[in-house]
Amino acid sequence: MKPISIQDIILATGGALLSGDPSQTVISVCTDTRKIVPGSLFVPLAGENFDAHKFIPDALTGGCAASLTARKDITAEKPLIYVPDTRRALADLAAYYRKQFAIPVVAITGSVGKTTAKELTSAVLSTKLNVLKTAGNFNNEIGLPLTLFRLEDDHEVAITEMGMSGFGEIDLLAKIAKPDIGIVTNIGMSHIEMLGSQENIYKAKSELFRHISPDGTVILNGDDPILAAHRKEITQKTITVGLSAGCDLTATDIVPKSDSLSFTAVYGDEKVPVNLAFPGEHNVINALLACAAGLCLGISLADAAFGLGAYIPSDRRMQLIDCDGITIINDCYNAAPASMEAGIRVLCSYEGRKIAVLGDIKELGEFSKEAHTGVGTFAGHAGVDALFTLGDHAKWIAEGAKNAGMAEESIFSFDDIDELKKSLGAFIKKGDTVLIKASRAMALERVTEFLTTGQNA
């Protein structure tokens, strides 16, 4: 982070200096006293069940150069800046800092696939540009500002991931980031509990468009019917990717394998082979979205293909693990109905017994039973040999699989993860392939840890 003076922080946030020297500078922004960098600005956040204002003294003695505060009853010798709302001040300061850099910003949103699309876009852009990207899933009103504060003068492009659970959230994030390129992966069912319909999910995601520069570009998954239906409403230039007729950037000769994926990217008269070192036919779309972002920034399809071929997925995202003759597809970072079905497709591309370990998909509200049952039906028809479920909602996956014809003696449902691990450990044998997937809240990486180390995580 480039140094920012206390005076500039006051200007950016509309704050008032309670103590300290306004000419001092900070070189980092911190919201967690466990991650203090000397010279940081501490931003104490408050929620329903916590208030970090009590840590201001510790932050200032622990190396922070200054702190924001929404309370005037705190005293300090170091700079203390009063703002009515520290969360809002964090956003305002990040927006101010982003404006110091005349570089393109790519914003990625969608119901599923955001992080994979972000990583693949980074792989493409990194072939020619110095890239800053969102770390992990720092995609909310706290994570996105912290990402932007990592910008340095040598960065040539920033890739930001934007998540949401309701209206207004993408609007705030996009207002901070001011993107030049927007990517929407799809409109699924994630957060439908809050928004009530996929059409409302689109409306919430499309808040992004109003903040993309007029001469910017919106890149859409053209195979998504809702995105395709709304394309003409978008005022910026649009690029669609997909397998549907009429998409601008498409793919042919798709060859999905158990551990890899290849296809030919087609853009106009240009055709370039792409080889991915990870499985999942659904990743064709993610790769095409990344290629489209590259084209917007002057990166050829050939260079994009080179970057994609070098990418290896991060931990817990379609990670293939060979564990003493058992193949584990570790994809337990998060889940939605569509991504769970995609994982089942990958599982069923393997020889030997195919075992699915599936947990609850969160935030589906009144659609939960239908969605989980649908996943189970898909698993039953796809050829899954055994199904282990964890959680109340995942029992509907078991019900759907049974109704689809899966043998009842091959279906096991659990409320306790330790019981699941014990049963699964006794069931699996060499030659099996095991898919592990659920919403992040289910923490199914504990199953992966158990299978790979024999230890309870």
Side-chain angles (χ1 to χ4, degrees):
M1 178 179 176
K2 295 197 297 184
I4 305 179
S5 72
I6 300 302
Q7 188 59 51
D8 285 339
I9 294 171
I10 293 170
L11 177 67
T13 62
L17 187 64
L18 299 181
S19 63
D21 181 358
S23 67
Q24 284 189 246
T25 61
V26 301
I27 59 170
S28 181
V29 175
C30 173
T31 61
D32 186 339
T33 53
R34 295 168 296 182
K35 300 177 181 179
I36 289 175
V37 174
S40 295
L41 170 72
F42 181 57
V43 181
L45 301 175
E48 290 184 9
N49 301 312
F50 70 94
D51 186 350
H53 281 78
K54 64 183 179 181
F55 298 119
I56 289 177
D58 292 339
L60 295 177
T61 58
C64 283
S67 178
L68 299 184
T69 177
R71 289 170 43 185
K72 293 184 177 180
D73 60 341
I74 296 175
T75 59
E77 293 183 5
K78 290 183 177 180
L80 199 59
I81 304 164
Y82 172 77
V83 292
D85 184 334
T86 55
R87 195 176 296 256
R88 180 67 202 200
L90 179 69
D92 290 340
L93 184 58
Y96 167 86
Y97 188 72
R98 184 266 180 269
K99 291 177 183 176
Q100 312 307 308
F101 298 86
I103 63 171
V105 171
V106 180
I108 301 175
T109 191
S111 294
V112 295
K114 292 186 293 296
T115 301
T116 299
K118 175 201 70 181
E119 294 295 334
L120 294 181
T121 299
S122 177
V124 167
L125 301 188
S126 293
T127 61
K128 297 294 181 181
L129 301 169
N130 185 8
V131 177
L132 171 74
K133 65 178 180 178
T134 299
N137 67 335
F138 270 39
N139 61 13
N140 60 15
E141 62 181 332
I142 299 169
L144 182 134
L146 294 178
T147 295
L148 293 176
F149 289 131
R150 292 168 44 224
L151 276 169
E152 299 283 359
D153 284 331
D154 59 348
H155 284 121
E156 296 170 294
V157 63
I159 305 172
T160 60
E161 181 181 331
M162 296 185 179
M164 65 90 204
S165 58
F167 291 116
E169 295 177 22
I170 296 292
D171 182 65
L172 173 61
L173 299 179
K175 190 180 297 183
I176 297 169
K178 289 293 182 186
D180 303 275
I181 299 169
I183 297 175
V184 187
T185 61
N186 48 52
I187 302 299
M189 297 185 71
S190 300
H191 308 300
I192 200 167
E193 180 180 18
M194 296 289 294
L195 291 164
S197 71
Q198 285 182 290
E199 190 63 30
N200 280 342
I201 292 173
Y202 169 78
K203 290 178 182 178
K205 298 290 186 185
S206 67
E207 293 170 0
L208 170 65
F209 306 150
R210 71 186 69 158
H211 298 287
I212 294 174
S213 58
D215 57 350
T217 304
V218 174
I219 302 169
L220 303 174
N221 175 356
D223 290 348
D224 186 287
I226 296 178
L227 291 175
H230 287 281
R231 178 183 183 179
K232 292 183 179 179
E233 301 170 5
I234 300 170
T235 59
Q236 295 90 346
K237 174 186 175 182
T238 59
I239 297 176
T240 56
V241 310
L243 307 182
S244 305
C247 285
D248 302 306
L249 176 58
T250 189
T252 61
D253 308 319
I254 300 171
V255 181
K257 295 182 180 179
S258 59
D259 61 351
S260 61
L261 176 69
S262 65
F263 63 92
T264 299
V266 181
Y267 186 64
D269 295 329
E270 190 175 8
K271 297 182 179 181
V272 174
V274 178
N275 296 287
L276 304 180
F278 53 95
E281 194 168 350
H282 60 287
N283 284 312
V284 171
I285 299 297
N286 290 324
L288 291 176
L289 291 168
C291 288
L295 291 171
C296 291
L297 295 173
I299 295 174
S300 68
L301 275 186
D303 286 332
F306 176 81
L308 291 171
Y311 172 70
I312 303 297
S314 60
D315 185 26
R316 294 180 296 179
R317 291 184 183 277
M318 276 294 166
Q319 180 189 28
L320 301 180
I321 302 172
D322 185 359
C323 181
D324 194 25
I326 297 166
T327 300
I328 299 171
I329 306 172
N330 188 36
D331 195 25
C332 55
Y333 189 85
N334 217 334
S339 65
M340 198 168 272
E341 291 180 7
I344 291 168
R345 286 192 191 95
V346 173
L347 171 67
C348 291
S349 69
Y350 281 78
E351 301 294 332
R353 292 197 306 175
K354 305 158 186 59
I355 302 168
V357 181
L358 308 177
D360 288 354
I361 306 172
K362 300 297 186 181
E363 298 181 326
L364 293 175
E366 63 183 285
F367 300 92
S368 187
K369 182 175 182 179
E370 177 185 355
H372 283 86
T373 302
V375 169
T377 301
F378 183 88
H381 289 154
V384 172
D385 295 302
L387 173 65
F388 289 72
T389 72
L390 179 69
D392 290 338
H393 293 234
K395 290 175 183 176
W396 290 320
I397 298 178
E399 181 180 316
K402 178 181 175 182
N403 293 339
M406 185 181 291
E408 191 169 354
E409 59 269 22
S410 298
I411 302 172
F412 310 90
S413 294
F414 299 89
D415 295 312
D416 181 83
I417 194 167
D418 291 327
E419 290 299 319
L420 184 153
K421 289 188 290 187
K422 181 179 178 181
S423 179
L424 179 65
F427 184 85
I428 59 175
K429 60 184 181 182
K430 286 187 177 182
D432 290 347
T433 301
V434 184
L435 168 67
I436 303 173
K437 191 164 183 64
S439 281
R440 183 70 193 91
M442 300 302 292
L444 274 194
E445 66 271 12
R446 293 175 290 173
V447 175
T448 304
E449 181 75 10
F450 170 74
L451 293 179
T452 55
T453 69
Q455 302 296 317
N456 286 320

